[in-house]
């Protein structure tokens, strides 16, 4: 009887194992297949990120270098030509839309994240406040630097001898030199602060792309970021070109151009390196990113409205006295802002 029970038990165990065997094999195959899919997706992600580094580098460098085509004496790109004013208006529109449509909403999204505690982040509009403070800080820095330069120029000793006519001529030359000196220092500040605002944004979006682990998300991001850097580069390049009037050395301008071109690709590389440990939804990451983007937005909006647009649309006699040129500048301003705004939709 016990022998019969033993045989029956073995029979049931064997039958049960045979019934479960297809399920076990299927489960093992599914796990292996899933591992293979994950491995293939990781390889594709790396390929897309490398493509992004090259694409963003080339598009950014091309955009920021376009305004320098005047150096090869293209007539319609000469600063005295009407078309050059239209290009400047387009570039200012790009920078303005970057601040309002790209950077500021990203800052708000970070600081309004549900991953942050309600106190203090949900109780106070930090995004607008930080943007306002950075804009005011930029204004103060420009005013202080320009005022210091003017006072330094006017405090130089005046000649006491010579006839009245020579003294008058010298005084007029001194005023003109002081005015040119003030314009130079102002142009230097504009270009460097503007580049700072753009670079902060470029590094953050580069890190975000490099750390992205979603293949479906990264595909449109590569195209969007490439176009973004191209048009942003045009805006910055136009401002850097103006700094030729500030008598920047060619080495300094080359550093500024190269620095902008490399920021997003370097950000992508950093994102790739920290992709396994970086958590974009951690409170620290959200706060740091949100505050930096808010400050960047304030800088870009102030620079676009005050230093780029107001300088031409209000103070440029050539533009004000020519209705057709004024209409064209308004059109290219809206065109630049529109293109950059559409890129925000493409990024989504």
């Amino acid at each position: 009887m016990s022998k019969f029970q033993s045989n029956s038990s073995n029979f049931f165990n064997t039958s049960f194992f045979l019934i479960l065997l297809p399920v076990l094999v299927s489960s093992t195959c599914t796990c292996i297949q899933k591992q293979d899919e994950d491995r293939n997706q990781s390889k594709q992600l790396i390929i897309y990120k490398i493509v992004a580094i090259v694409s963003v580098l080339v598009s950014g460098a091309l955009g920021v270098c376009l305004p320098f085509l005047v150096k090869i004496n293209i007539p319609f790109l000469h600063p005295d030509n009407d078309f050059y004013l239209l290009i400047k208006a387009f570039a200012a529109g790009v920078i303005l839309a970057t601040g309002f449509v790209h950077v500021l909403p990203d800052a708000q999204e970070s600081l309004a994240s549900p991953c942050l505690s309600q106190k203090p982040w949900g109780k106070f509009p930090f995004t607008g406040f930080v943007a306002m403070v950075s804009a005011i800080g930029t204004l103060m820095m420009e005013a202080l630097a320009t005022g210091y330069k003017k006072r330094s120029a006017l405090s130089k000793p005046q000649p006491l001898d010579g006839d009245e006519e020579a003294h008058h001529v010298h005084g007029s030359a001194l005023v003109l030199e002081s005015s040119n000196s003030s314009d130079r220092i102002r142009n230097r500040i504009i270009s460097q602060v503007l580049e700072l605002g753009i670079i902060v944004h470029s590094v953050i979006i580069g890190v975000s792309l490099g750390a992205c682990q979603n293949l479906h998300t990264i595909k449109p991001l590569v195209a969007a970021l490439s176009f973004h850097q191209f048009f942003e580069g045009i805006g910055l390049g136009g401002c850097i070109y103006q700094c030729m009037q500030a008598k920047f050395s060619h080495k300094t301008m080359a550093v500024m151009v190269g620095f902008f071109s490399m920021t997003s690709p370097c950000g992508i590389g950093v994102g790739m390196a920290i992709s396994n440990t970086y958590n974009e939804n951690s409170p620290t990451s959200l706060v740091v990113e949100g505050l930096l983007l808010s400050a960047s937005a304030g800088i870009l909006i102030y620079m676009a409205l005050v230093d780029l647009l107001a300088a031409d649309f209000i103070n440029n006699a050539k533009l004000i006295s020519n209705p057709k040129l004024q209409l064209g500048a308004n059109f290219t301003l809206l065109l630049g802002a529109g293109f950059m705004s559409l890129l925000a939709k493409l990024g989504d």
Side-chain angles (χ1 to χ4, degrees), residues 45 55 66 71 77 85-86 105 115 117-119 132 148 153 193 195-196 227 241 251 283 290 327 329 331:
L45 280 171
S55 176
L66 268 183
K71 295 297 287 183
L77 286 178
L85 287 174
L86 302 182
C115 298
S117 60
Q118 276 295 103
K119 293 183 179 180
M132 177 189 69
Y148 173 78
V193 174
E195 180 161 23
L196 175 63
F227 280 109
Y241 176 78
K251 181 180 178 181
L327 181 63
F331 174 75

Side-chain angles (χ1 to χ4, degrees), residues 12 174 241:
F12 283 117
L174 183 62
Y241 176 78

Side-chain angles (χ1 to χ4, degrees), residues 209-346:
L209 190 149
C212 180
Q213 297 297 311
N214 190 323
L215 190 59
H216 296 291
T217 302
I218 202 172
K219 289 180 180 179
L221 276 179
V222 174
L225 185 55
S226 298
F227 280 109
H228 178 277
Q229 289 299 103
F230 175 74
F231 285 114
E232 209 169 63
I234 291 177
L236 179 61
C239 186
I240 293 176
Y241 176 78
Q242 283 184 299
C243 291
M244 290 180 177
Q245 303 169 11
K247 295 186 177 180
F248 269 157
S249 67
H250 292 292
K251 181 180 178 181
T252 301
M253 288 189 290
V255 169
M256 294 176 70
V257 169
F259 204 54
F260 167 76
S261 303
M262 292 298 297
T263 47
S264 277
C266 289
I268 296 173
V270 171
M272 292 173 66
I274 64 174
S275 59
N276 292 327
T277 58
Y278 176 71
N279 181 10
E280 61 180 7
N281 292 320
S282 71
T284 302
S285 298
L286 288 170
V287 170
V288 171
E289 181 177 319
L291 293 179
L292 286 176
L293 286 177
S294 298
S296 175
I299 291 172
L300 294 178
I301 292 169
Y302 170 84
M303 303 295 279
L305 288 174
V306 177
D307 290 325
L308 300 180
L309 291 175
D312 284 333
F313 279 68
I314 298 176
N315 299 324
N316 191 316
K318 183 179 181 181
L319 183 63
I320 295 173
S321 61
N322 189 335
K324 290 184 178 179
L325 182 60
Q326 201 169 22
L327 181 63
N330 281 282
F331 174 75
T332 53
L333 167 63
L334 294 173
L335 191 66
F339 272 133
M340 208 62 184
S341 300
L342 286 176
L343 287 180
K345 181 64 178 175
L346 179 61

Side-chain angles (χ1 to χ4, degrees), residues 71-125:
K71 295 297 287 183
I72 57 177
N73 296 322
I74 297 178
F76 67 87
L77 286 178
H78 195 274
D80 295 331
N81 195 289
D82 293 347
F83 189 74
Y84 181 71
L85 287 174
L86 302 182
I87 294 177
K88 285 174 64 179
F90 179 87
V94 168
I95 293 174
L96 187 62
T98 300
F100 272 121
V101 183
H102 288 257
V103 186
L104 201 60
D106 288 348
Q108 175 63 24
E109 183 180 357
S110 296
L111 295 180
S113 172
C115 298
L116 295 178
S117 60
Q118 276 295 103
K119 293 183 179 180
W121 307 108
K123 301 294 184 181
F124 187 80

Side-chain angles (χ1 to χ4, degrees), residues 118-141:
Q118 276 295 103
K119 293 183 179 180
W121 307 108
K123 301 294 184 181
F124 187 80
F126 281 98
T127 304
F129 177 75
V130 174
M132 177 189 69
V133 170
S134 68
I136 294 174
T138 305
L139 169 66
M140 290 179 174
M141 186 175 65

Side-chain angles (χ1 to χ4, degrees), residues 14-175:
T14 303
S15 300
F16 184 70
F17 176 75
L18 291 175
I19 292 172
L20 289 179
L21 182 61
V23 178
L24 295 172
V25 172
S26 175
S27 178
T28 304
C29 292
T30 302
C31 291
I32 294 174
Q33 185 179 4
K34 184 69 169 62
Q35 290 175 355
D36 290 340
E37 289 178 357
D38 290 343
R39 195 177 297 112
N40 291 334
Q41 180 170 326
S42 297
K43 290 181 180 178
Q44 289 180 339
L45 280 171
I46 292 174
I47 292 172
Y48 272 107
K49 290 174 183 179
I50 292 174
V51 170
I53 290 175
V54 176
S55 176
V56 169
L57 176 63
V58 172
S59 59
L62 181 62
V64 78
C65 289
L66 268 183
F68 290 90
L69 290 176
V70 293
K71 295 297 287 183
I72 57 177
N73 296 322
I74 297 178
F76 67 87
L77 286 178
H78 195 274
D80 295 331
N81 195 289
D82 293 347
F83 189 74
Y84 181 71
L85 287 174
L86 302 182
I87 294 177
K88 285 174 64 179
F90 179 87
V94 168
I95 293 174
L96 187 62
T98 300
F100 272 121
V101 183
H102 288 257
V103 186
L104 201 60
D106 288 348
Q108 175 63 24
E109 183 180 357
S110 296
L111 295 180
S113 172
C115 298
L116 295 178
S117 60
Q118 276 295 103
K119 293 183 179 180
W121 307 108
K123 301 294 184 181
F124 187 80
F126 281 98
T127 304
F129 177 75
V130 174
M132 177 189 69
V133 170
S134 68
I136 294 174
T138 305
L139 169 66
M140 290 179 174
M141 186 175 65
E142 275 193 50
L144 289 172
T146 305
Y148 173 78
K149 190 66 179 180
K150 278 187 175 181
R151 289 191 297 272
S152 298
L154 293 174
S155 64
K156 292 180 180 178
Q158 305 284 337
L160 298 177
D161 53 353
D163 57 25
E164 183 177 350
E165 182 179 357
H167 183 73
H168 176 73
V169 170
H170 180 79
S172 301
L174 183 62
V175 171

